Amino acid sequence: GLSVIISCIDPKLPLSFCIKLWLFLFSLSLLLVAQMASAIYFHIGEKEKKCFIEDIPAEMMLTGKYKTMVFNKDSNSFKVSPPELGMHIDIMDSQSKVVLSKTYGSEGMFYFTSHIAGDHEICMHSNSSQWFGGRRMRVYFDLQMGEHAADEAVTAEKGQLAELEQRITQLLEQIKIVEKNQNYQRVREEVFRKTSSGINSNVLWWSIAQCLVLLCSGMFQMKHLKGFFIKKKLV
């Protein structure tokens, strides 16, 4: 509330300025969080595997949260999964190296850090022991970038930071994430530009080679026809 704003900002500043600053930081943080988060849900069978491809910059920490529910035929709706029905998470980087492989409960959270940039494959499947069939499952999945996603709940519980200070900390973290993504996109654009330049160069040389072949073929045909006409005494 207002007491939080006043306690976190110099008392000499006008209250209206403090309120506008707080609203600006809050709105900007919500915008950045919305850009960094990717919350979805999907349906799978107990023996099925679901995989996602996520393009991640290097040295980026990601936090995944999930919650599973199973379909109940009696109520014709999804119910909370039993504790023994867990989820196994497999994560591989762009070089097919295992980043994470671990079994969690029916609801949980996992963390991992990307050591190299590129596409990372995130796969999830249940630890069900059924051989055939199985129940239909609904999985809520949320993947967030940045360290604040991992310790946000802990910080809120301990009350180590005031509300505005926590918002500013999260905002700075999100700015770092945006900066990393921008740098990664610049690298990808540079690679794409070099690849395009190489392809254009190859196309140019191929066109020149085709012209030379056509020119040589035309000269050969003209010489052959000239010899034919001379032999037949047509010229």
Side-chain angles (χ1 to χ4, degrees), residues 38 40 50-56 62 90-94 112 118-123 141 143 145 188:
S38 55
I40 59 172
K50 187 72 173 180
C51 295
F52 305 91
I53 301 296
E54 190 74 20
D55 192 5
I56 305 173
L62 283 90
D90 289 315
I91 301 176
M92 301 181 68
D93 60 19
S94 57
F112 71 95
D119 291 336
H120 286 62
E121 185 180 45
I122 304 173
C123 295
F141 181 60
L143 186 65
M145 295 184 180
R188 294 193 61 182

Side-chain angles (χ1 to χ4, degrees), residues 42-229:
F42 54 89
H43 294 147
I44 58 173
E46 283 192 49
K47 304 301 294 183
E48 294 181 25
K49 177 186 286 189
K50 187 72 173 180
C51 295
F52 305 91
I53 301 296
E54 190 74 20
D55 192 5
I56 305 173
E59 302 302 327
M60 177 69 72
M61 181 177 180
L62 283 90
T63 303
K65 302 177 183 179
Y66 71 90
K67 178 181 179 181
T68 61
M69 304 181 73
V70 294
F71 185 75
N72 188 292
K73 294 182 179 179
D74 297 332
S75 61
N76 196 29
S77 62
F78 287 93
K79 301 293 184 181
V80 178
S81 301
E84 64 272 10
L85 185 61
M87 293 293 291
H88 186 82
I89 311 295
D90 289 315
I91 301 176
M92 301 181 68
D93 60 19
S94 57
Q95 297 181 353
S96 299
K97 294 181 179 179
V98 177
V99 179
L100 176 68
S101 181
K102 189 175 180 180
T103 301
Y104 298 86
S106 59
E107 179 179 358
M109 181 184 302
F110 60 90
Y111 317 97
F112 71 95
T113 301
S114 59
H115 299 292
I116 59 175
D119 291 336
H120 286 62
E121 185 180 45
I122 304 173
C123 295
M124 308 174 67
H125 64 87
S126 70
N127 62 346
S128 174
S129 58
Q130 294 192 25
W131 288 95
F132 303 100
R135 293 165 291 184
R136 185 174 177 81
M137 300 176 60
R138 173 180 289 179
V139 182
Y140 293 90
F141 181 60
D142 183 18
L143 186 65
Q144 297 183 0
M145 295 184 180
E147 297 180 1
H148 80 279
D151 57 11
E152 181 178 357
V154 177
T155 303
E157 290 178 359
K158 292 183 177 180
Q160 295 176 348
L161 298 176
E163 183 178 355
L164 184 57
E165 291 176 321
Q166 185 177 355
R167 296 289 183 186
I168 293 175
T169 302
Q170 294 178 2
L171 180 60
L172 293 175
E173 176 64 26
Q174 293 294 336
I175 291 174
K176 292 180 182 178
I177 295 174
V178 172
E179 184 179 1
K180 284 186 178 181
N181 279 298
Q182 288 179 340
N183 293 334
Y184 179 53
Q185 293 301 325
R186 290 193 192 99
V187 173
R188 294 193 61 182
E189 289 176 2
E190 182 65 23
V191 173
F192 177 76
R193 190 160 46 247
K194 290 181 179 179
T195 303
S196 300
S197 178
I199 293 175
N200 292 334
S201 178
N202 293 335
V203 170
L204 175 62
W205 285 110
W206 175 248
S207 300
I208 294 174
Q210 285 182 320
C211 292
L212 291 175
V213 170
L214 290 174
L215 182 61
C216 293
S217 177
M219 293 177 63
F220 174 78
Q221 290 180 355
M222 291 178 62
K223 184 177 181 180
H224 179 74
L225 288 174
K226 183 179 180 181
F228 175 78
F229 290 149

